[in-house]
């Protein structure tokens, strides 16, 4: 059974470029969450998606950031015109039903470095 | 910020000793979860305790929850070198869906 798969593992971008981070949830999970982690800090919630719908994007910056989880294919976190402050580890997690008493399954993350 | 605080920030012990980590949070919760993160990797779920529970065990792990003090503790007994990792508590608020609010983490180092 494959867990949550994220790619790429490492992504280097220059300022002003676009970054696309992909996440394939655990097979059968229809709820996906994106978190961002800065060095020496805990994870901070960005966005919660259910197939084709954004449920909560309260943690995601209004500009330059977008997320989708299409009917087919992985969830994508897209950052346009990246800046140095976007450098962080981005983690995706999934759960089967989104119930509050479920544990989340996390991917290994994408380390984004902006030069 | 709703983010919780964990104490201590770092803990260094010898194999066989017990490790205790504490977590405080700010809002009312549905449940509290503990996760482990090995360096540069994703998080692994350890244990979940509901707001109406006071204590829970899983193998060498013991978690307590005091909702009146808005605090929780994680005890790892008979620690092993493989327990070396960062440990995070995460709360799920009463919002009706899964939205974890993570603490700042405790870095645990277990020396052989």
């Amino acid at each position: 059974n494959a867990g949550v798969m994220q790619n790429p593992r490492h992504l280097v971008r220059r300022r002003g470029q676009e970054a696309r981070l992909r996440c394939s949830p655990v097979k059968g999970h229809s709820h996906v969450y994106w978190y961002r982690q800065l060095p020496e800090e805990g994870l901070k919630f960005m966005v919660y998606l259910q197939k084709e719908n954004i449920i909560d994007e309260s943690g995601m910056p209004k500009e330059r950031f977008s997320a989708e989880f299409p009917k087919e294919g992985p969830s994508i976190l897209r950052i346009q015109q990246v800046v140095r402050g976007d450098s962080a580890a981005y983690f995706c997690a999934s759960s089967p039903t989104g119930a509050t008493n479920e544990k989340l399954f996390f991917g290994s993350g994408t380390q984004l470095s902006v030069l | 910020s709703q983010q919780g605080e964990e104490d201590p920030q770092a803990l260094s012990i010898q194999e066989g000793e017990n490790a205790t980590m504490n977590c405080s949070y700010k809002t009312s919760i549905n449940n509290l979860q503990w996760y482990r993160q090995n360096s540069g990797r994703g998080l692994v779920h350890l244990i979940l305790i509901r707001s109406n529970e006071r204590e829970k065990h899983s193998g060498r792990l013991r978690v307590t929850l005091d909702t009146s003090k808005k605090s929780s503790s994680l005890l790892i007994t008979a620690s092993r070198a493989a327990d070396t990792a960062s440990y995070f508590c995460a709360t799920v608020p009463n919002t009706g869906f899964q939205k974890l609010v993570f603490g700042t983490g405790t870095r645990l180092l277990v020396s052989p």
Side-chain angles (χ1 to χ4, degrees):
Chain A
N1 288 327
V4 176
M5 304 299 292
Q6 289 187 249
N7 68 82
R9 188 82 175 84
H10 300 276
L11 182 61
V12 179
R13 285 286 178 266
R14 296 191 183 281
R15 280 178 297 171
Q17 291 185 319
E18 178 180 286
R20 278 184 180 241
L21 288 63
R22 295 176 187 77
C23 168
S24 295
V26 173
K27 189 176 181 181
H29 287 191
S30 58
H31 298 255
V32 164
Y33 314 79
W34 285 92
Y35 286 81
R36 178 165 63 179
Q37 184 180 34
L38 295 171
E40 308 301 322
E41 292 188 12
L43 279 69
K44 289 195 170 65
F45 170 81
M46 296 182 73
V47 61
Y48 164 37
L49 308 104
Q50 189 181 357
K51 279 289 187 181
E52 301 184 89
N53 292 306
I54 295 176
I55 308 300
D56 183 335
E57 55 183 348
S58 58
M60 197 161 66
K62 296 279 187 291
E63 297 180 355
R64 303 189 297 108
F65 285 73
S66 62
E68 63 177 12
F69 188 18
K71 188 176 180 181
E72 301 292 336
S75 175
I76 306 288
L77 179 66
R78 182 181 176 209
I79 312 172
Q80 296 178 288
Q81 299 170 6
V82 296
V83 301
R84 289 225 172 100
D86 297 332
S87 296
Y90 292 83
F91 290 95
C92 169
S94 73
S95 68
T97 70
T100 53
N101 60 354
E102 277 180 347
K103 67 180 183 180
L104 297 191
F105 294 78
F106 280 84
S108 295
T110 292
Q111 180 65 52
L112 173 65
S113 298
V114 180
L115 304 179
Chain B
S1 167
Q2 293 184 355
Q3 193 168 27
E5 297 289 328
E6 293 189 55
D7 169 58
Q9 285 189 311
L11 181 59
S12 184
I13 59 174
Q14 300 287 324
E15 265 191 329
E17 294 180 337
N18 296 340
T20 300
M21 290 160 260
N22 303 296
C23 164
S24 61
Y25 56 92
K26 299 179 181 179
T27 62
S28 62
I29 62 171
N30 177 284
N31 65 74
L32 184 144
Q33 304 177 30
W34 284 89
Y35 286 80
R36 183 184 72 212
Q37 183 180 36
N38 289 86
S39 181
R41 308 294 293 180
L43 277 71
V44 174
H45 181 268
L46 296 176
I47 197 165
L48 180 153
I49 186 166
R50 292 181 171 80
S51 61
N52 61 353
E53 296 176 310
R54 292 297 166 257
E55 187 171 312
K56 203 160 184 181
H57 297 254
S58 176
R60 293 184 297 113
L61 306 180
R62 173 179 165 248
V63 168
T64 62
L65 178 64
D66 186 336
T67 53
S68 66
K69 295 181 179 177
K70 291 187 167 60
S71 68
S72 173
S73 68
L74 170 67
L75 168 67
I76 304 175
T77 60
S79 63
R80 305 166 183 167
D83 294 329
T84 294
S86 290
Y87 291 81
F88 294 91
C89 71
T91 53
V92 177
N94 287 316
T95 57
F97 62 85
Q98 181 73 286
K99 181 177 175 180
L100 295 177
V101 178
F102 281 87
T104 51
T106 292
R107 291 190 305 279
L108 175 65
L109 173 63
V110 182
S111 302

